[in-house]
Amino acid sequence: MSHIDLLINALTTILVTIDPPGLAPIFLSLTTGMSRHERFLVARRGTLIAFFILSAFALFGNGILGLLGISIGAFRIAGGLLLFWIAFEMIFEKRNERKEKTGEAAITRDHIHNIAVFPLALPLIAGPGAISATILLSGSFSATIDRAQLILVIAFCLALLFAALVIAERIDRFLGVTGRAILTRLLGVILAALAVQFVVDGVKSAMAL
């Protein structure tokens, strides 16, 4: 796989796992009663926190795996299976239901100023799927300059997410229920294919093929 293909694969994987169109209506439900400016502040803080979390895993994820004695091949298989499960949930509309329940619980437990941290940054943006995908991708970006490019890809994806959250009301009106369902399923199929590729690469790496 060429370096350009790796970057495109990283961009697609991260975008699909954070799912900006799917997160926009959930963000609206989390910030009910807030002004446009307050929503802007929550979106900015949440995406910045998520960026630092994913960047940390991009830089140190492989080191953590090494300390635990886990090979990148084994993690690719496990991460691929996890991503496939998320794709399955997206296709059969289970993931948004779970995210909505997480959001509803958070409003009753935490003060409104903490919504940007929980549940927006964690686990809605930088959730298990995005973190697993980041660590998996970092295994293909071993050089320092390559890791810097991966972090730029993460920054670009989160910038798109931030823009989606800022215009969440418009996106929700434009897509409607049918549009969201179609887009979520389409992204789920793409993520399923990427997940299978991660498993294939993991098996090849683990068996030294």
Side-chain angles (χ1 to χ4, degrees), residues 51-93:
F51 169 73
F52 287 119
I53 291 170
L54 294 180
S55 295
F57 278 101
L59 291 172
F60 308 114
N62 283 333
I64 294 171
L65 292 181
L67 288 174
L68 295 174
I70 301 171
S71 69
I72 189 61
F75 193 83
R76 278 177 178 159
I77 295 171
L81 293 174
L82 174 61
L83 291 179
F84 189 86
W85 174 56
I86 292 173
F88 180 86
E89 287 189 325
M90 290 173 71
I91 294 170
F92 292 99
E93 286 193 327

mmCIF file of all heavy atoms in Angstrom, residues 51-93:
data_model
loop_
_atom_site.group_PDB
_atom_site.id
_atom_site.type_symbol
_atom_site.label_atom_id
_atom_site.label_comp_id
_atom_site.label_asym_id
_atom_site.label_seq_id
_atom_site.Cartn_x
_atom_site.Cartn_y
_atom_site.Cartn_z
ATOM 1 N N PHE A 51 -9.158 15.718 20.252
ATOM 2 C CA PHE A 51 -7.939 15.766 19.431
ATOM 3 C C PHE A 51 -6.719 15.370 20.254
ATOM 4 O O PHE A 51 -5.877 14.578 19.805
ATOM 5 C CB PHE A 51 -7.743 17.171 18.854
ATOM 6 C CG PHE A 51 -6.400 17.378 18.223
ATOM 7 C CD1 PHE A 51 -6.088 16.797 16.998
ATOM 8 C CD2 PHE A 51 -5.426 18.141 18.859
ATOM 9 C CE1 PHE A 51 -4.836 16.968 16.428
ATOM 10 C CE2 PHE A 51 -4.179 18.324 18.289
ATOM 11 C CZ PHE A 51 -3.879 17.732 17.071
ATOM 12 N N PHE A 52 -6.594 15.912 21.458
ATOM 13 C CA PHE A 52 -5.432 15.592 22.297
ATOM 14 C C PHE A 52 -5.445 14.121 22.715
ATOM 15 O O PHE A 52 -4.389 13.479 22.789
ATOM 16 C CB PHE A 52 -5.394 16.501 23.524
ATOM 17 C CG PHE A 52 -4.984 17.910 23.206
ATOM 18 C CD1 PHE A 52 -5.835 18.974 23.453
ATOM 19 C CD2 PHE A 52 -3.744 18.181 22.640
ATOM 20 C CE1 PHE A 52 -5.461 20.279 23.151
ATOM 21 C CE2 PHE A 52 -3.352 19.473 22.337
ATOM 22 C CZ PHE A 52 -4.218 20.524 22.592
ATOM 23 N N ILE A 53 -6.624 13.572 22.961
ATOM 24 C CA ILE A 53 -6.715 12.158 23.336
ATOM 25 C C ILE A 53 -6.269 11.267 22.178
ATOM 26 O O ILE A 53 -5.419 10.375 22.345
ATOM 27 C CB ILE A 53 -8.162 11.805 23.752
ATOM 28 C CG1 ILE A 53 -8.514 12.493 25.069
ATOM 29 C CG2 ILE A 53 -8.333 10.285 23.883
ATOM 30 C CD1 ILE A 53 -9.984 12.403 25.431
ATOM 31 N N LEU A 54 -6.815 11.511 20.989
ATOM 32 C CA LEU A 54 -6.469 10.683 19.824
ATOM 33 C C LEU A 54 -5.017 10.880 19.412
ATOM 34 O O LEU A 54 -4.354 9.923 18.995
ATOM 35 C CB LEU A 54 -7.408 11.000 18.660
ATOM 36 C CG LEU A 54 -8.882 10.630 18.873
ATOM 37 C CD1 LEU A 54 -9.713 11.001 17.650
ATOM 38 C CD2 LEU A 54 -9.039 9.140 19.171
ATOM 39 N N SER A 55 -4.506 12.106 19.529
ATOM 40 C CA SER A 55 -3.102 12.365 19.198
ATOM 41 C C SER A 55 -2.175 11.606 20.143
ATOM 42 O O SER A 55 -1.137 11.082 19.720
ATOM 43 C CB SER A 55 -2.808 13.862 19.271
ATOM 44 O OG SER A 55 -3.534 14.567 18.293
ATOM 45 N N ALA A 56 -2.539 11.550 21.430
ATOM 46 C CA ALA A 56 -1.728 10.809 22.400
ATOM 47 C C ALA A 56 -1.670 9.335 22.043
ATOM 48 O O ALA A 56 -0.603 8.704 22.096
ATOM 49 C CB ALA A 56 -2.295 11.000 23.810
ATOM 50 N N PHE A 57 -2.801 8.771 21.627
ATOM 51 C CA PHE A 57 -2.812 7.360 21.231
ATOM 52 C C PHE A 57 -2.072 7.147 19.912
ATOM 53 O O PHE A 57 -1.461 6.097 19.705
ATOM 54 C CB PHE A 57 -4.237 6.843 21.131
ATOM 55 C CG PHE A 57 -4.821 6.441 22.457
ATOM 56 C CD1 PHE A 57 -5.688 7.283 23.127
ATOM 57 C CD2 PHE A 57 -4.491 5.228 23.036
ATOM 58 C CE1 PHE A 57 -6.226 6.918 24.357
ATOM 59 C CE2 PHE A 57 -5.012 4.853 24.264
ATOM 60 C CZ PHE A 57 -5.891 5.709 24.929
ATOM 61 N N ALA A 58 -2.111 8.151 19.019
ATOM 62 C CA ALA A 58 -1.359 8.046 17.766
ATOM 63 C C ALA A 58 0.142 8.018 18.030
ATOM 64 O O ALA A 58 0.902 7.322 17.349
ATOM 65 C CB ALA A 58 -1.711 9.208 16.842
ATOM 66 N N LEU A 59 0.590 8.783 19.028
ATOM 67 C CA LEU A 59 2.022 8.882 19.329
ATOM 68 C C LEU A 59 2.519 7.737 20.213
ATOM 69 O O LEU A 59 3.605 7.205 20.010
ATOM 70 C CB LEU A 59 2.317 10.219 20.018
ATOM 71 C CG LEU A 59 2.185 11.475 19.149
ATOM 72 C CD1 LEU A 59 2.323 12.723 20.009
ATOM 73 C CD2 LEU A 59 3.227 11.478 18.037
ATOM 74 N N PHE A 60 1.712 7.364 21.210
ATOM 75 C CA PHE A 60 2.198 6.435 22.238
ATOM 76 C C PHE A 60 1.444 5.113 22.283
ATOM 77 O O PHE A 60 1.742 4.263 23.122
ATOM 78 C CB PHE A 60 2.123 7.101 23.622
ATOM 79 C CG PHE A 60 2.796 8.447 23.679
ATOM 80 C CD1 PHE A 60 2.057 9.597 23.886
ATOM 81 C CD2 PHE A 60 4.172 8.549 23.508
ATOM 82 C CE1 PHE A 60 2.666 10.843 23.936
ATOM 83 C CE2 PHE A 60 4.797 9.796 23.544
ATOM 84 C CZ PHE A 60 4.045 10.938 23.758
ATOM 85 N N GLY A 61 0.466 4.939 21.397
ATOM 86 C CA GLY A 61 -0.330 3.711 21.421
ATOM 87 C C GLY A 61 0.493 2.455 21.237
ATOM 88 O O GLY A 61 0.342 1.478 21.981
ATOM 89 N N ASN A 62 1.411 2.480 20.271
ATOM 90 C CA ASN A 62 2.251 1.307 20.024
ATOM 91 C C ASN A 62 3.185 1.023 21.193
ATOM 92 O O ASN A 62 3.480 -0.135 21.507
ATOM 93 C CB ASN A 62 3.064 1.500 18.741
ATOM 94 C CG ASN A 62 2.227 1.288 17.495
ATOM 95 O OD1 ASN A 62 1.246 0.558 17.516
ATOM 96 N ND2 ASN A 62 2.591 1.947 16.405
ATOM 97 N N GLY A 63 3.680 2.099 21.839
ATOM 98 C CA GLY A 63 4.540 1.927 23.010
ATOM 99 C C GLY A 63 3.794 1.253 24.148
ATOM 100 O O GLY A 63 4.341 0.386 24.844
ATOM 101 N N ILE A 64 2.541 1.645 24.332
ATOM 102 C CA ILE A 64 1.716 1.035 25.374
ATOM 103 C C ILE A 64 1.499 -0.445 25.071
ATOM 104 O O ILE A 64 1.582 -1.298 25.957
ATOM 105 C CB ILE A 64 0.367 1.773 25.486
ATOM 106 C CG1 ILE A 64 0.595 3.210 25.974
ATOM 107 C CG2 ILE A 64 -0.586 1.034 26.434
ATOM 108 C CD1 ILE A 64 -0.636 4.082 25.916
ATOM 109 N N LEU A 65 1.229 -0.750 23.795
ATOM 110 C CA LEU A 65 1.058 -2.148 23.403
ATOM 111 C C LEU A 65 2.329 -2.952 23.662
ATOM 112 O O LEU A 65 2.273 -4.095 24.114
ATOM 113 C CB LEU A 65 0.684 -2.243 21.922
ATOM 114 C CG LEU A 65 -0.692 -1.712 21.510
ATOM 115 C CD1 LEU A 65 -0.894 -1.901 20.012
ATOM 116 C CD2 LEU A 65 -1.793 -2.408 22.285
ATOM 117 N N GLY A 66 3.497 -2.330 23.375
ATOM 118 C CA GLY A 66 4.771 -3.002 23.608
ATOM 119 C C GLY A 66 4.991 -3.322 25.077
ATOM 120 O O GLY A 66 5.460 -4.406 25.426
ATOM 121 N N LEU A 67 4.631 -2.363 25.944
ATOM 122 C CA LEU A 67 4.782 -2.589 27.383
ATOM 123 C C LEU A 67 3.884 -3.722 27.867
ATOM 124 O O LEU A 67 4.239 -4.459 28.788
ATOM 125 C CB LEU A 67 4.442 -1.302 28.153
ATOM 126 C CG LEU A 67 5.467 -0.163 28.061
ATOM 127 C CD1 LEU A 67 4.925 1.085 28.750
ATOM 128 C CD2 LEU A 67 6.799 -0.583 28.702
ATOM 129 N N LEU A 68 2.737 -3.854 27.226
ATOM 130 C CA LEU A 68 1.795 -4.913 27.606
ATOM 131 C C LEU A 68 2.109 -6.239 26.916
ATOM 132 O O LEU A 68 1.446 -7.253 27.181
ATOM 133 C CB LEU A 68 0.366 -4.483 27.265
ATOM 134 C CG LEU A 68 -0.173 -3.268 28.035
ATOM 135 C CD1 LEU A 68 -1.540 -2.867 27.492
ATOM 136 C CD2 LEU A 68 -0.258 -3.573 29.525
ATOM 137 N N GLY A 69 3.098 -6.232 26.016
ATOM 138 C CA GLY A 69 3.468 -7.454 25.310
ATOM 139 C C GLY A 69 2.480 -7.868 24.240
ATOM 140 O O GLY A 69 2.357 -9.055 23.915
ATOM 141 N N ILE A 70 1.752 -6.888 23.681
ATOM 142 C CA ILE A 70 0.759 -7.169 22.640
ATOM 143 C C ILE A 70 1.349 -6.787 21.291
ATOM 144 O O ILE A 70 1.801 -5.653 21.108
ATOM 145 C CB ILE A 70 -0.540 -6.371 22.885
ATOM 146 C CG1 ILE A 70 -1.128 -6.720 24.254
ATOM 147 C CG2 ILE A 70 -1.556 -6.641 21.781
ATOM 148 C CD1 ILE A 70 -2.282 -5.838 24.662
ATOM 149 N N SER A 71 1.345 -7.705 20.345
ATOM 150 C CA SER A 71 1.890 -7.411 19.020
ATOM 151 C C SER A 71 0.899 -6.560 18.234
ATOM 152 O O SER A 71 -0.315 -6.591 18.489
ATOM 153 C CB SER A 71 2.182 -8.704 18.253
ATOM 154 O OG SER A 71 0.967 -9.354 17.903
ATOM 155 N N ILE A 72 1.418 -5.800 17.275
ATOM 156 C CA ILE A 72 0.539 -4.961 16.455
ATOM 157 C C ILE A 72 -0.391 -5.837 15.617
ATOM 158 O O ILE A 72 -1.540 -5.451 15.338
ATOM 159 C CB ILE A 72 1.365 -4.009 15.560
ATOM 160 C CG1 ILE A 72 0.444 -2.978 14.877
ATOM 161 C CG2 ILE A 72 2.173 -4.779 14.544
ATOM 162 C CD1 ILE A 72 -0.317 -2.087 15.803
ATOM 163 N N GLY A 73 0.085 -7.042 15.235
ATOM 164 C CA GLY A 73 -0.770 -7.957 14.485
ATOM 165 C C GLY A 73 -1.977 -8.385 15.300
ATOM 166 O O GLY A 73 -3.114 -8.375 14.800
ATOM 167 N N ALA A 74 -1.747 -8.738 16.576
ATOM 168 C CA ALA A 74 -2.852 -9.140 17.448
ATOM 169 C C ALA A 74 -3.815 -7.980 17.671
ATOM 170 O O ALA A 74 -5.040 -8.161 17.683
ATOM 171 C CB ALA A 74 -2.303 -9.641 18.782
ATOM 172 N N PHE A 75 -3.262 -6.783 17.827
ATOM 173 C CA PHE A 75 -4.135 -5.628 18.052
ATOM 174 C C PHE A 75 -4.933 -5.289 16.799
ATOM 175 O O PHE A 75 -6.083 -4.850 16.890
ATOM 176 C CB PHE A 75 -3.314 -4.409 18.498
ATOM 177 C CG PHE A 75 -4.178 -3.302 19.044
ATOM 178 C CD1 PHE A 75 -4.609 -3.329 20.358
ATOM 179 C CD2 PHE A 75 -4.581 -2.256 18.235
ATOM 180 C CE1 PHE A 75 -5.420 -2.321 20.863
ATOM 181 C CE2 PHE A 75 -5.386 -1.240 18.723
ATOM 182 C CZ PHE A 75 -5.810 -1.273 20.047
ATOM 183 N N ARG A 76 -4.322 -5.474 15.628
ATOM 184 C CA ARG A 76 -5.062 -5.226 14.386
ATOM 185 C C ARG A 76 -6.261 -6.168 14.273
ATOM 186 O O ARG A 76 -7.348 -5.753 13.850
ATOM 187 C CB ARG A 76 -4.133 -5.408 13.184
ATOM 188 C CG ARG A 76 -3.278 -4.193 12.894
ATOM 189 C CD ARG A 76 -2.335 -4.444 11.749
ATOM 190 N NE ARG A 76 -1.551 -3.256 11.445
ATOM 191 C CZ ARG A 76 -0.403 -3.265 10.801
ATOM 192 N NH1 ARG A 76 0.102 -4.411 10.383
ATOM 193 N NH2 ARG A 76 0.250 -2.149 10.555
ATOM 194 N N ILE A 77 -6.059 -7.431 14.659
ATOM 195 C CA ILE A 77 -7.172 -8.387 14.604
ATOM 196 C C ILE A 77 -8.261 -7.980 15.595
ATOM 197 O O ILE A 77 -9.440 -7.898 15.243
ATOM 198 C CB ILE A 77 -6.672 -9.814 14.907
ATOM 199 C CG1 ILE A 77 -5.713 -10.283 13.803
ATOM 200 C CG2 ILE A 77 -7.845 -10.783 15.035
ATOM 201 C CD1 ILE A 77 -5.004 -11.581 14.120
ATOM 202 N N ALA A 78 -7.853 -7.697 16.845
ATOM 203 C CA ALA A 78 -8.828 -7.313 17.864
ATOM 204 C C ALA A 78 -9.521 -5.996 17.496
ATOM 205 O O ALA A 78 -10.744 -5.865 17.612
ATOM 206 C CB ALA A 78 -8.136 -7.183 19.224
ATOM 207 N N GLY A 79 -8.728 -5.015 17.058
ATOM 208 C CA GLY A 79 -9.299 -3.723 16.677
ATOM 209 C C GLY A 79 -10.215 -3.834 15.469
ATOM 210 O O GLY A 79 -11.256 -3.175 15.407
ATOM 211 N N GLY A 80 -9.832 -4.673 14.515
ATOM 212 C CA GLY A 80 -10.666 -4.885 13.339
ATOM 213 C C GLY A 80 -12.007 -5.494 13.707
ATOM 214 O O GLY A 80 -13.053 -5.085 13.186
ATOM 215 N N LEU A 81 -11.989 -6.453 14.637
ATOM 216 C CA LEU A 81 -13.237 -7.061 15.093
ATOM 217 C C LEU A 81 -14.115 -6.041 15.819
ATOM 218 O O LEU A 81 -15.340 -6.025 15.657
ATOM 219 C CB LEU A 81 -12.943 -8.261 16.003
ATOM 220 C CG LEU A 81 -12.273 -9.464 15.326
ATOM 221 C CD1 LEU A 81 -11.907 -10.525 16.358
ATOM 222 C CD2 LEU A 81 -13.185 -10.059 14.251
ATOM 223 N N LEU A 82 -13.470 -5.171 16.630
ATOM 224 C CA LEU A 82 -14.218 -4.119 17.330
ATOM 225 C C LEU A 82 -14.846 -3.153 16.336
ATOM 226 O O LEU A 82 -16.028 -2.784 16.467
ATOM 227 C CB LEU A 82 -13.290 -3.369 18.291
ATOM 228 C CG LEU A 82 -13.895 -2.146 18.994
ATOM 229 C CD1 LEU A 82 -15.089 -2.559 19.847
ATOM 230 C CD2 LEU A 82 -12.849 -1.441 19.843
ATOM 231 N N LEU A 83 -14.074 -2.742 15.326
ATOM 232 C CA LEU A 83 -14.600 -1.831 14.314
ATOM 233 C C LEU A 83 -15.732 -2.487 13.519
ATOM 234 O O LEU A 83 -16.701 -1.821 13.134
ATOM 235 C CB LEU A 83 -13.479 -1.377 13.377
ATOM 236 C CG LEU A 83 -12.416 -0.466 13.983
ATOM 237 C CD1 LEU A 83 -11.357 -0.124 12.940
ATOM 238 C CD2 LEU A 83 -13.015 0.812 14.547
ATOM 239 N N PHE A 84 -15.608 -3.797 13.299
ATOM 240 C CA PHE A 84 -16.670 -4.505 12.582
ATOM 241 C C PHE A 84 -17.951 -4.510 13.411
ATOM 242 O O PHE A 84 -19.052 -4.368 12.872
ATOM 243 C CB PHE A 84 -16.240 -5.932 12.258
ATOM 244 C CG PHE A 84 -17.185 -6.644 11.333
ATOM 245 C CD1 PHE A 84 -17.060 -6.499 9.956
ATOM 246 C CD2 PHE A 84 -18.203 -7.452 11.825
ATOM 247 C CE1 PHE A 84 -17.936 -7.143 9.092
ATOM 248 C CE2 PHE A 84 -19.082 -8.093 10.970
ATOM 249 C CZ PHE A 84 -18.948 -7.933 9.602
ATOM 250 N N TRP A 85 -17.811 -4.657 14.715
ATOM 251 C CA TRP A 85 -18.974 -4.622 15.603
ATOM 252 C C TRP A 85 -19.644 -3.244 15.559
ATOM 253 O O TRP A 85 -20.872 -3.143 15.511
ATOM 254 C CB TRP A 85 -18.532 -4.959 17.024
ATOM 255 C CG TRP A 85 -19.612 -4.806 18.060
ATOM 256 C CD1 TRP A 85 -20.842 -5.401 18.063
ATOM 257 C CD2 TRP A 85 -19.558 -3.994 19.225
ATOM 258 N NE1 TRP A 85 -21.556 -5.011 19.174
ATOM 259 C CE2 TRP A 85 -20.794 -4.155 19.903
ATOM 260 C CE3 TRP A 85 -18.583 -3.171 19.778
ATOM 261 C CZ2 TRP A 85 -21.082 -3.496 21.092
ATOM 262 C CZ3 TRP A 85 -18.870 -2.517 20.963
ATOM 263 C CH2 TRP A 85 -20.097 -2.678 21.612
ATOM 264 N N ILE A 86 -18.817 -2.184 15.549
ATOM 265 C CA ILE A 86 -19.363 -0.829 15.442
ATOM 266 C C ILE A 86 -20.070 -0.654 14.102
ATOM 267 O O ILE A 86 -21.149 -0.057 14.024
ATOM 268 C CB ILE A 86 -18.241 0.211 15.623
ATOM 269 C CG1 ILE A 86 -17.732 0.183 17.060
ATOM 270 C CG2 ILE A 86 -18.711 1.616 15.247
ATOM 271 C CD1 ILE A 86 -16.512 1.041 17.304
ATOM 272 N N ALA A 87 -19.463 -1.187 13.025
ATOM 273 C CA ALA A 87 -20.092 -1.114 11.701
ATOM 274 C C ALA A 87 -21.433 -1.843 11.699
ATOM 275 O O ALA A 87 -22.422 -1.360 11.123
ATOM 276 C CB ALA A 87 -19.159 -1.720 10.650
ATOM 277 N N PHE A 88 -21.479 -2.997 12.362
ATOM 278 C CA PHE A 88 -22.730 -3.759 12.467
ATOM 279 C C PHE A 88 -23.801 -2.930 13.165
ATOM 280 O O PHE A 88 -24.961 -2.880 12.738
ATOM 281 C CB PHE A 88 -22.472 -5.059 13.235
ATOM 282 C CG PHE A 88 -23.687 -5.926 13.418
ATOM 283 C CD1 PHE A 88 -24.066 -6.834 12.449
ATOM 284 C CD2 PHE A 88 -24.451 -5.838 14.575
ATOM 285 C CE1 PHE A 88 -25.187 -7.634 12.613
ATOM 286 C CE2 PHE A 88 -25.582 -6.620 14.749
ATOM 287 C CZ PHE A 88 -25.946 -7.534 13.769
ATOM 288 N N GLU A 89 -23.396 -2.243 14.249
ATOM 289 C CA GLU A 89 -24.337 -1.391 14.979
ATOM 290 C C GLU A 89 -24.831 -0.237 14.110
ATOM 291 O O GLU A 89 -25.998 0.143 14.175
ATOM 292 C CB GLU A 89 -23.676 -0.837 16.243
ATOM 293 C CG GLU A 89 -23.494 -1.854 17.350
ATOM 294 C CD GLU A 89 -23.048 -1.207 18.644
ATOM 295 O OE1 GLU A 89 -22.274 -0.227 18.578
ATOM 296 O OE2 GLU A 89 -23.473 -1.655 19.712
ATOM 297 N N MET A 90 -23.912 0.338 13.309
ATOM 298 C CA MET A 90 -24.299 1.450 12.442
ATOM 299 C C MET A 90 -25.313 0.990 11.388
ATOM 300 O O MET A 90 -26.297 1.674 11.108
ATOM 301 C CB MET A 90 -23.067 2.044 11.759
ATOM 302 C CG MET A 90 -22.148 2.795 12.696
ATOM 303 S SD MET A 90 -20.612 3.318 11.899
ATOM 304 C CE MET A 90 -21.229 4.620 10.825
ATOM 305 N N ILE A 91 -25.065 -0.179 10.803
ATOM 306 C CA ILE A 91 -25.941 -0.674 9.740
ATOM 307 C C ILE A 91 -27.332 -0.992 10.278
ATOM 308 O O ILE A 91 -28.339 -0.741 9.621
ATOM 309 C CB ILE A 91 -25.309 -1.913 9.074
ATOM 310 C CG1 ILE A 91 -24.024 -1.506 8.331
ATOM 311 C CG2 ILE A 91 -26.289 -2.573 8.107
ATOM 312 C CD1 ILE A 91 -23.193 -2.667 7.844
ATOM 313 N N PHE A 92 -27.387 -1.514 11.511
ATOM 314 C CA PHE A 92 -28.683 -1.902 12.082
ATOM 315 C C PHE A 92 -29.194 -0.908 13.120
ATOM 316 O O PHE A 92 -30.012 -1.247 13.972
ATOM 317 C CB PHE A 92 -28.576 -3.308 12.683
ATOM 318 C CG PHE A 92 -28.384 -4.368 11.636
ATOM 319 C CD1 PHE A 92 -27.111 -4.862 11.369
ATOM 320 C CD2 PHE A 92 -29.452 -4.849 10.901
ATOM 321 C CE1 PHE A 92 -26.915 -5.830 10.393
ATOM 322 C CE2 PHE A 92 -29.258 -5.815 9.922
ATOM 323 C CZ PHE A 92 -27.995 -6.309 9.661
ATOM 324 N N GLU A 93 -28.669 0.336 13.069
ATOM 325 C CA GLU A 93 -29.148 1.461 13.877
ATOM 326 C C GLU A 93 -29.058 1.223 15.376
ATOM 327 O O GLU A 93 -29.881 1.718 16.135
ATOM 328 C CB GLU A 93 -30.597 1.805 13.509
ATOM 329 C CG GLU A 93 -30.734 2.517 12.181
ATOM 330 C CD GLU A 93 -32.125 3.112 11.993
ATOM 331 O OE1 GLU A 93 -33.106 2.522 12.487
ATOM 332 O OE2 GLU A 93 -32.218 4.158 11.361
#
